[in-house]
Amino acid sequence: MSTQQVSMLFLALASISLLAFAAGGLARRLRQPPVIGEVLLGVLLGPTLLNGAISSTLFPEDIRPFLTALANIGVALFMFAVGAELEAGLMRGRRVVAGTVAVGSIALPFLLGTLLALYLFDRHPTDDRTGFVLFMGAAMSVTAFPVLARILTDRGMQRTWLGTVALACAAIDDVLAWTLLAVVVAMSGAGTGSQWLLLLFVPYVVLMLTVVRPLLRRLLEHRRLAGPGSPAAMVVTLAGLLGSAAFTEWIGLHFIFGAFVFGAVMPRGTGRGEAPDVTGQVRERISALNDFLLLPMFFIVAGLKVDLSGMNGTDLVELGLILTVAVGGKFVGAFVAARAAGMKNRPASALAVLMNTRGLTELIILTVGLQLGALDGELYSVMVVMALVTTAMTGPLLHLIYPVPPAPAPSTPAAVPPAGRTGAGQETS
């Protein structure tokens, strides 16, 4: 790198951190998740306004590869945090309703998304028609677990029965969505490895569950690693998640899968006796820098690829169809499944609204699709708008349907309503 490139890179990083913080703060004032403001910032800094003059000044072409590399690290760290936040305990006493709603909120939008893809393919042809169809189905099916968790926390609903069911559904949705995307990536033939290397994914997951997870638990329970402020746990975790990400990228899958799987196998509640939860500490320390610098950089890089300046009537029709399938498919699928599981109309509607939260998870999937060639630039831009709209509407719709958060769930397991029924469901529909 030349001296000028180094200077411009540092100035770009400073600009991203400050602007993203301001945009996130503005979004919070409007009762929106910070991700909404940060993504909109990325779009506005891109070619949509002034033909890209702002982005060309702040982020010259010769430093963008470095921004992309840092953004990829941010996405890997984020995917690790998503995997590490998944808790099997969320399913306790809620397996039937959570599983039913999760499957319903995935199956219907996936089916409708594949049908819409058949219609869109003529205007957005790719080398792999099947990959395009499956990708659109997967993109319509995703629910953003981290953003949904933040919305529930802001409303004080994270410990209510409805809130925990929503988190459990979103966790299942995340796993199913990433599995669908892994299939699409594998079928696309993209990646640096030969096709046969994809066969290593199954033994890799088995190894992570049977060998790596117990080893991590033993290491993180060691007093020298588990001590407050010990850097050893951080080093072990960073090396593991980056190595796991490198492996899945090498076999032909995207690096996000390796980071996610490593986070998912991290032991929960590590530490004996009074020892701290090392996994939670590491996750918080990783997220501290990531949330203020590397992830906002991902939003900027993603936004630089969005160009809404040339949208015409046909594009607006496509956007309307995409929003109808994305919102309608998720809502109807989740609502019908919730009603079938025994929930009443109002809590079932609130749960269906929450399942429409897409946020950053959707943006990551869309970026992968753009890299694979499953999306062209025009369709990518429209899909980003869909991700913003479906995330932004969640809070206001939830407030309209469920204006008063229910009382916290009882602390004793015996008092928690059984699967298929809900304390919220006892309210009037």
Side-chain angles (χ1 to χ4, degrees), residues 73-422:
I73 296 174
V75 170
L77 297 179
F78 172 79
M79 290 306 302
F80 162 80
V82 172
E85 286 173 0
L86 296 180
E87 288 284 355
L90 289 172
M91 308 302 169
R92 192 173 298 118
R94 308 172 184 91
R95 287 184 176 86
V96 174
V97 64
T100 302
V101 174
V103 171
S105 67
I106 284 276
L108 184 58
F110 180 84
L111 175 61
L112 295 178
T114 57
L115 294 176
L116 178 61
L118 294 174
Y119 168 77
L120 295 175
F121 186 78
D122 289 339
R123 286 201 71 231
H124 306 280
T126 67
D127 295 334
D128 184 359
R129 182 188 181 96
T130 302
F132 173 76
V133 171
L134 292 176
F135 176 84
M136 287 295 293
M140 295 295 182
S141 305
V142 69
T143 295
F145 178 88
V147 178
L148 185 146
R150 180 58 185 265
I151 291 173
L152 291 173
T153 300
D154 289 345
R155 289 179 55 82
M157 295 177 62
Q158 74 275 20
R159 296 189 182 279
T160 65
W161 197 87
L162 179 63
T164 53
V165 168
L167 288 172
C169 293
I172 298 173
D173 266 16
D174 257 10
V175 174
L176 293 177
W178 294 122
T179 302
L180 287 172
L181 184 61
V183 172
V184 175
V185 174
M187 292 183 62
S188 72
T192 58
S194 302
Q195 286 297 92
W196 68 268
L197 288 175
L198 292 170
L199 299 175
L200 297 176
F201 184 68
V202 173
Y204 152 79
V205 173
V206 173
L207 181 69
M208 294 290 285
L209 291 172
T210 59
V211 177
V212 175
R213 185 169 194 168
L215 180 60
L216 283 171
R217 179 172 292 278
R218 182 173 298 180
L219 287 172
L220 296 182
E221 284 181 345
H222 195 283
R223 289 295 175 181
R224 290 186 179 178
L225 285 174
S230 170
M234 177 70 76
V235 172
V236 169
T237 303
L238 284 174
L241 81 90
L242 294 174
S244 182
F247 178 80
T248 54
E249 182 76 19
W250 174 68
I251 65 175
L253 290 176
H254 203 275
F255 65 83
I256 58 175
F257 299 107
F260 177 79
V261 170
F262 191 84
V265 303
M266 285 289 288
R268 308 302 194 264
T270 54
R272 297 190 181 96
E274 298 300 320
D277 177 3
V278 181
T279 297
Q281 288 185 349
V282 169
R283 185 179 68 242
E284 291 175 2
R285 292 171 69 182
I286 286 177
S287 298
L289 174 63
N290 203 34
D291 290 348
F292 290 104
L293 182 61
L294 298 181
L295 267 186
M297 196 168 322
F298 169 76
F299 300 140
I300 298 300
V301 172
L304 294 178
K305 301 171 185 173
V306 174
D307 187 0
L308 304 177
S309 60
M311 287 190 71
N312 53 34
T314 303
D315 295 322
L316 292 176
V317 170
E318 289 186 354
L319 176 60
L321 290 173
I322 289 171
L323 283 171
T324 300
V325 169
V327 176
K330 270 284 185 183
F331 186 90
V332 174
F335 178 81
V336 171
R339 291 287 291 146
M343 296 180 69
K344 291 192 174 181
N345 284 334
R346 196 161 71 97
S349 298
L351 186 57
V353 167
L354 287 167
M355 290 299 100
N356 254 301
T357 305
R358 287 177 170 86
L360 177 56
T361 306
E362 180 74 23
L363 291 176
I364 293 174
I365 289 181
L366 296 179
T367 301
V368 173
L370 189 64
Q371 292 171 350
L372 295 176
L375 295 177
D376 59 20
E378 185 179 353
L379 187 55
Y380 169 82
S381 298
V382 173
M383 292 289 285
V384 168
V385 174
M386 179 273 288
L388 290 173
V389 171
T390 54
T391 304
M393 74 180 194
T394 300
L397 283 180
L398 185 62
H399 180 73
L400 181 66
I401 295 172
Y402 226 79
V404 180
S411 57
T412 56
V416 177
R421 300 180 63 188
T422 168

